[in-house]
Amino acid sequence: MKDGENLCSNDSNKGKNSYFALVQFGYPSMNYFDELITLLREEQQFDRLQHETLLLKSSLNERRMQGVTWFPVQIIDMELGRGDYLSVSLNRTNHYDIDHKFRFGMPVSLFSNHNPEHDRIDGIISSINREGMRISFRVDELPEWSRKGKLGIDLLFDEYSYREMFNALQKGRELSQDTKQGGFVRKLIGAELIPIKSNEAFFAHPNLNVSQNKAVQQILEADTLALLHGPPGTGKTTTLIQAVKALLKKHSKQLLVVAASNTAVDLLTERLDAAGVTVVRIGNPVKVSEHLQELTLDAKIDSHAANKDIKTLQKQVRAYTEMAQKYKRNFGKTEREQRKALFNEAYRIRREVDQIQDFITTDVLNKAEVITATLVGANHEVIRNRIYETVIIDEAAQALEPACWIPILKAHRLVLAGDHNQLPPTVKSRKLSRDGLSHTLFEKLVERNPQLVSLLDIQYRMNEKIMQYPSMALYNGLLRADSAVAHWSLEEDSEPVVFIDTAGAGFEETEIDGAIFNVGEAHFLAAHLSVHMGSWTASLINEGFLSVGVIAPYRKQVSLLHEVFKEDERMKPFADFIKIQTIDSFQGQEKDVIYISLTRSNAQQQIGFLSDVRRMNVAMTRAKKKLVVIGDSATIGSHPFYREFIAYTEAIGHYHSVWEWDISAI
């Protein structure tokens, strides 16, 4: 059989057209999954080396600041749980303000500072919040050393996520080679054409605009794939919620809704619940919200009527276990047999508990209209074997493709939602970021199947002058501002978007150990903001507080800005109104006012990862009423995106030089 022959129908002309269409949109390599496996293996090796280097060569305090260690921690509770696991609850006793990378399902190591190299035991996080976590250890009791010295928790390298991604890719490869059973996969990788259905019905929801209704309609009509392109502020989540409700009404079958981050999953879970959808969240939410906790599988199991029996039986298990453990090391045959009998009875009851828990879990899941999880969480043991009529992946443009295949292989129909003009997925190897892993499945499918893309074109967040440049630069000028936000601004402010040029001011960047920061720019930003904060907040007394975001592309610049604001007496009254973060941390947020410190200023005109304009798109589109961008035109102007942005601010009369202010006092 010649390449492409399987693509042809009995109608030869139609077959030729199909083949040419595939060529036009990029016929995939027959080694599609092999190439992904190779890329993922290289990323895994790089990631593991980075993590091991951090744990081995960094001090305890450095690890704590990097978010991979909690120390000290205090054990507050422990009990034998399901599957002979010891479940241990512990809290960190300080440093609550330090961000961390611990998440549900990740491997960790409990250690004692008495002998941290040898006194260690590994476990898995079963739940986590800001102050504490619960860890499952495959032992009956903790070692003796756990009662000596201070305890800490190290985050171990996450082999589990990589294993799940590799398994999905290998299964995808097998299906892609099966012309009978692998049709769905083959269509997604471009080996077969995706048929386009004609419009059967018109979807019209009164709370959605025209583009949103068209998107829901396309999702309902899709046999294989629908792509929802949602630029900033266009109501992508709102559209998805209505699409979920419409799909449930049409098919009456359970849906799986997933996203790359826990934060995105939390948002979807809350929004679905608010819309009256019966939803179960797999895994533990990042948001510390009592209501969100109630939507988790664990909480629904706890509140199940049959759970009363489990609690009674668990008390019996603890009683028998405690009786058995009272026997000392030196005892006779009779005592040994009694100890064994007690442990056997505890074991028998735990088996009975497991059976009841299986029943409760299945009952809760079967009653759910929608299951939500992260991409890797879609293969959680409790839902591993479930198949869904439709799988929806939100924030798909931020998701590594190998992770996307985990939920995709559980679907008959796929909906991807995202914006490939915002933040890409995190790829730790810079080489792989250039060579392939940063090119997402969402992007590939948009490129190959433009006819399946629904663009949301009305945004509800920004003043139209803030929106206009990103629209022109990245969205072909297709975005429009809703009338409710098009002209909103701060009181007596005529410049919703401003560029302040620091060229020639001597605000040179500094680089120490690879960390880049700009002292002069940080101090100028604080001074400029402090001048306006008083009048802005005063004008909004009747409307509520003013929200301000300060964004920098570099972590060191963010740290510096925190220090400058903390030391500036003028800013202390407004500390509660201002959030200072990196661009990546601001994804999904919005503020009345956004300040951006571009940071880069050097004679070589080097701008580093500012050249990824998707990051700047995210930063700019966080602003609702006012955007202030501060940077050195002599440096950033070497890149066409920034050069054209500066030209845009000049054209609308909102370009300013730093020399318009008295910088001698800074």
Side-chain angles (χ1 to χ4, degrees), residues 565-618:
F565 276 62
K566 189 176 181 179
E567 294 170 359
D568 193 329
E569 292 293 331
R570 298 168 298 180
M571 298 305 301
K572 288 184 178 179
F574 312 112
D576 294 339
F577 302 103
I578 302 170
K579 181 175 283 188
I580 308 171
Q581 290 181 315
T582 61
I583 297 173
D584 292 41
S585 299
F586 248 102
Q587 174 88 352
Q589 299 185 58
E590 59 184 41
K591 300 292 180 184
D592 293 313
V593 180
I594 289 289
Y595 273 70
I596 302 174
S597 171
L598 295 177
T599 308
R600 302 308 301 261
S601 179
N602 56 77
Q604 296 76 33
Q605 298 183 315
Q606 294 179 351
I607 65 171
F609 64 73
L610 282 182
S611 59
D612 187 345
V613 300
R614 293 173 295 184
R615 277 191 161 79
M616 191 49 50
N617 181 37
V618 170

Side-chain angles (χ1 to χ4, degrees), residues 144-211:
E144 183 68 24
W145 57 257
S146 65
R147 292 176 281 278
K148 300 177 182 177
K150 293 183 178 180
L151 300 178
I153 296 288
D154 278 334
L155 180 64
L156 301 180
F157 182 69
D158 187 11
E159 295 280 5
Y160 173 79
S161 294
Y162 280 101
R163 185 165 61 250
E164 292 293 338
M165 285 189 282
F166 279 122
N167 289 340
L169 292 178
Q170 289 161 358
K171 186 177 179 181
R173 176 174 60 185
E174 293 171 4
L175 287 169
S176 70
Q177 297 168 354
D178 188 336
T179 55
K180 293 183 178 179
Q181 303 295 322
F184 180 64
V185 170
R186 290 172 60 80
K187 288 183 177 72
L188 294 180
I189 67 172
E192 294 180 12
L193 280 176
I194 298 175
I196 303 174
K197 291 180 66 176
S198 59
N199 295 344
E200 296 178 351
F202 181 72
F203 183 85
H205 192 284
N207 296 335
L208 300 183
N209 63 44
V210 173
S211 65

Side-chain angles (χ1 to χ4, degrees), residues 409-452:
L409 295 177
K410 303 174 182 295
H412 294 301
R413 178 191 300 107
L414 178 65
V415 178
L416 295 183
D419 180 12
H420 46 297
N421 292 319
Q422 296 190 62
L423 289 178
T426 300
V427 180
K428 297 181 180 178
S429 168
R430 292 184 179 180
K431 178 180 180 297
L432 293 183
S433 182
R434 292 193 306 268
D435 293 350
L437 274 186
S438 62
H439 192 204
T440 65
L441 180 62
F442 183 80
E443 289 177 276
K444 294 176 183 177
L445 290 171
V446 168
E447 292 165 3
R448 284 200 300 268
N449 306 279
Q451 73 282 7
L452 302 179

Side-chain angles (χ1 to χ4, degrees), residues 70 100-106 108 125-135 262 283-288 293:
W70 279 9
H100 63 83
K101 299 176 182 178
F102 294 90
R103 297 290 185 266
F104 165 80
M106 286 186 169
V108 293
I125 298 174
S126 57
S127 67
I128 187 164
N129 57 39
R130 180 174 171 271
E131 298 176 356
M133 68 174 74
R134 196 166 186 85
I135 305 171
N262 277 286
N284 291 89
V286 173
K287 288 181 167 181
V288 183
Q293 295 287 343

Side-chain angles (χ1 to χ4, degrees), residues 244-256 277 366 368-371 387-391 412-413:
V244 167
K245 294 179 71 175
L247 285 168
L248 289 171
K249 185 177 180 180
K250 181 177 179 180
H251 299 289
S252 300
K253 293 182 178 179
Q254 189 175 77
L255 307 180
L256 176 66
V277 176
N366 286 345
E369 294 176 298
V370 174
I371 292 173
I387 302 297
Y388 308 89
E389 183 70 22
T390 305
V391 167
H412 294 301
R413 178 191 300 107

Side-chain angles (χ1 to χ4, degrees), residues 80 84 140-141 317-318 320-327 331 335-351:
L80 276 172
D84 295 329
D140 289 330
E141 58 183 329
V317 170
R318 284 195 294 271
Y320 282 119
T321 303
E322 288 171 2
M323 290 169 62
Q325 291 172 342
K326 287 180 180 178
Y327 287 96
F331 50 80
E335 289 82 4
R336 188 175 289 106
E337 288 177 350
Q338 288 176 341
R339 177 183 169 98
K340 183 180 179 182
L342 288 168
F343 273 128
N344 286 340
E345 184 61 16
Y347 181 83
R348 184 192 66 77
I349 297 172
R350 284 205 297 272
R351 298 286 73 75

